[in-house]
Amino acid sequence: MVSLLRAEGSDTAEVEAKSARGGLPQNTANLLSGFANRPGGGTIILGLDEAHGFAAGGVYDVKAAQQAVVQVARQALEPPVQVTTETVPFEGQRLVVVQVVEAQALAKPVRVRASGIAYLRQYDGTFPLSQVEEQAFVAARTQPSYDRAPVPGTSVSDLDPAAVAAFVRTRRGQSSVFAGWGDAEVLRHAGVVTDDSDVTVAGLLALGLVPQSCYPSLSVQASSWNGRARGAQSKVLDSAVIEGPVPSMLDDALAWVTRNTAARIVDDSGDLYDEPEFPERAVRELVANALIHRDLGPHALGRYISLTLEPGRLTITNPGGLYGVSVVALGHTDSSLRNGWLASILMSVRSPGGARVIERLGSGIPAARDAMRRANLPQPQFFDTGLSFTARLSSTPEAAYRSSRPPSTVQKTVLAALTPVPSTTTEIARRSGLTLRQTRHALKSLTATGQVTTDGALRNTGYYLTAAPA
């Protein structure tokens, strides 16, 4: 963990280091709130000085520090937060490592009692939640149904007649139940319109002429940069606002990525031919995932999906964190649908290019991973803040990607303990001689770089060595 912090030059979204020579940090309650509200929780390391390269400076009193952290977690937060503490010898000092457990969805957002403020952990920082962000946490406590909400002032005249006709025809072909139904009845049953003949949010997004006429932010904001986005020397090379119903936005976003990425030369003989920088299938599946699973609640209608191209990297971020699934289990378990009505409609809709928007529920992430593997590129990376979800692709070849960040000693130990057969975290820790905390952290990094593959979900997740690309 410390090696990662030193390499980054700062704290990360998952780990915060604090100097604790003179006592417990004053913002401990804020940190505990932020990590408890974060998917996966997080880690606080007491005894490291960030201002001096994360040097080990020790803790004022390791026993008193552990007791104080537990007291803050139990008494200073509403509801109380679950933590575990551990004393770890490191570079001649004793550090206190605090593992903060993610709060249950029904308990979020966790607040600091004294101020009433809830915090969220993001990269290198803990920030107060806005009122709108708090609404997102409250909405996540139950199955969302925002996609079924009526759009005031709309009617079937706001839908694309050709798309509606194709949709109704497909639905009738899928089930004989609809054979004698009129078009209006089919649309109501499918959740495209309400009983009062208003178009639903799902119906507008799937079959509408221009959904953004009602909700301007239900669009994709695309930008291409010549360096890291918003860096001091970076400039925007191309930007676009991609609008229309989901099927059109999907095709247009894919075309925009293709237009803004350079073709690669991949022939040992010297012949030139075009190969996409990012596999088309991977891009399509991840953009579709963002369009289908974005948060459609009133607290999120002012936020758009972002599509960001930087040298060697494509990042897709949508409003709303993962619903009903963790990053580790993503693609390895049944889908939990935030927008069930929208997904159901899109199962029977094709894009203007003729492709299915959804081939099969839960197939998108595995398909994206397979496309990257076949292209000998790193596996997609996924990040969940609870309020947004990000997918990232790298176009650096797998071998170069891995060698650019050689495994640490702990990671090497974990790799040596892995086999082609899935093993649990406990089994790997036992074989390697490492602690569970060390094993979990190493597995998370190795999974992100594609060296380790997961199988199963949540507590039953198994880990095994990723096979080399054919």
Side-chain angles (χ1 to χ4, degrees), residues 186-257:
V186 174
L187 293 177
R188 276 196 294 272
H189 175 79
V192 176
V193 298
T194 67
D195 291 340
D196 296 327
S197 298
D198 291 321
V199 176
T200 64
V201 173
L204 191 68
L205 268 176
L207 302 172
L209 290 167
V210 186
Q212 292 73 26
S213 296
C214 299
Y215 301 113
S217 294
L218 295 185
S219 60
V220 177
Q221 305 282 327
S223 59
S224 176
W225 299 73
N226 66 351
R228 287 289 178 253
R230 288 170 289 280
Q233 305 299 321
S234 298
K235 294 182 180 180
V236 177
L237 301 177
D238 185 19
S239 62
V241 178
I242 300 172
E243 297 181 323
V246 166
S248 296
M249 285 194 287
L250 179 56
D251 275 5
D252 292 346
L254 188 60
W256 184 89
V257 171

Side-chain angles (χ1 to χ4, degrees), residues 276-326:
E277 183 176 351
F278 303 97
E280 182 176 312
R281 181 65 185 273
V283 177
R284 186 177 193 87
E285 295 297 344
L286 296 182
V287 172
N289 189 74
L291 290 166
I292 296 164
H293 297 293
R294 66 151 292 159
D295 195 338
L296 294 172
H299 49 271
L301 288 181
R303 300 168 59 200
Y304 52 79
I305 294 170
S306 69
L307 185 63
T308 306
L309 267 173
E310 302 160 293
R313 191 163 78 175
L314 172 65
T315 304
I316 305 158
T317 299
N318 62 267
L322 289 174
Y323 177 76
V325 67
S326 67

Side-chain angles (χ1 to χ4, degrees), residues 71-249:
Q71 185 175 15
V72 171
R74 300 299 301 173
Q75 299 180 6
L77 298 168
E78 179 60 41
V81 170
Q82 183 180 350
V83 298
T84 59
T85 64
E86 181 181 3
T87 302
V88 179
F90 184 78
E91 295 183 351
Q93 299 288 343
R94 296 179 72 197
L95 310 180
V96 172
V97 178
V98 181
Q99 191 69 43
V100 186
V101 179
E102 177 189 359
Q104 296 292 323
L106 289 175
K108 294 182 182 179
V110 174
R111 303 175 185 279
V112 177
R113 285 182 184 270
S115 64
I117 298 175
Y119 291 82
L120 181 68
R121 181 70 184 180
Q122 293 182 315
Y123 184 77
D124 192 23
T126 305
F127 305 95
L129 287 171
S130 68
Q131 289 185 346
V132 172
E133 290 171 332
E134 288 195 27
Q135 292 174 22
F137 276 110
V138 173
R141 295 175 183 174
T142 58
Q143 171 65 50
S145 58
Y146 296 116
D147 58 338
R148 191 68 168 86
V151 181
T154 59
S155 67
V156 290
S157 63
D158 294 290
L159 303 179
D160 183 333
V164 168
F167 172 77
V168 172
R169 185 168 57 251
T170 299
R171 278 297 172 100
R172 288 198 177 111
Q174 291 171 342
S175 175
S176 59
V177 171
F178 305 125
W181 290 25
D183 291 0
E185 291 177 284
V186 174
L187 293 177
R188 276 196 294 272
H189 175 79
V192 176
V193 298
T194 67
D195 291 340
D196 296 327
S197 298
D198 291 321
V199 176
T200 64
V201 173
L204 191 68
L205 268 176
L207 302 172
L209 290 167
V210 186
Q212 292 73 26
S213 296
C214 299
Y215 301 113
S217 294
L218 295 185
S219 60
V220 177
Q221 305 282 327
S223 59
S224 176
W225 299 73
N226 66 351
R228 287 289 178 253
R230 288 170 289 280
Q233 305 299 321
S234 298
K235 294 182 180 180
V236 177
L237 301 177
D238 185 19
S239 62
V241 178
I242 300 172
E243 297 181 323
V246 166
S248 296
M249 285 194 287

Side-chain angles (χ1 to χ4, degrees), residues 305-394:
I305 294 170
S306 69
L307 185 63
T308 306
L309 267 173
E310 302 160 293
R313 191 163 78 175
L314 172 65
T315 304
I316 305 158
T317 299
N318 62 267
L322 289 174
Y323 177 76
V325 67
S326 67
V327 168
V328 171
L330 193 63
H332 300 291
T333 186
D334 293 338
S335 297
S336 296
L337 296 174
R338 179 191 300 278
N339 303 312
W341 290 98
L342 176 60
S344 176
I345 296 169
L346 290 173
M347 288 281 288
S348 303
V349 174
R350 291 183 180 270
S351 70
R356 290 183 181 275
V357 178
I358 301 176
E359 289 188 0
R360 181 172 56 85
L361 291 176
S363 64
I365 299 300
R369 286 174 169 148
D370 183 63
M372 295 297 283
R373 181 187 66 81
R374 290 178 179 277
N376 194 30
L377 294 175
Q379 288 290 286
Q381 291 181 288
F382 302 108
F383 310 91
D384 181 16
T385 71
L387 295 178
S388 64
F389 176 72
T390 296
R392 179 171 293 156
L393 299 178
S394 171

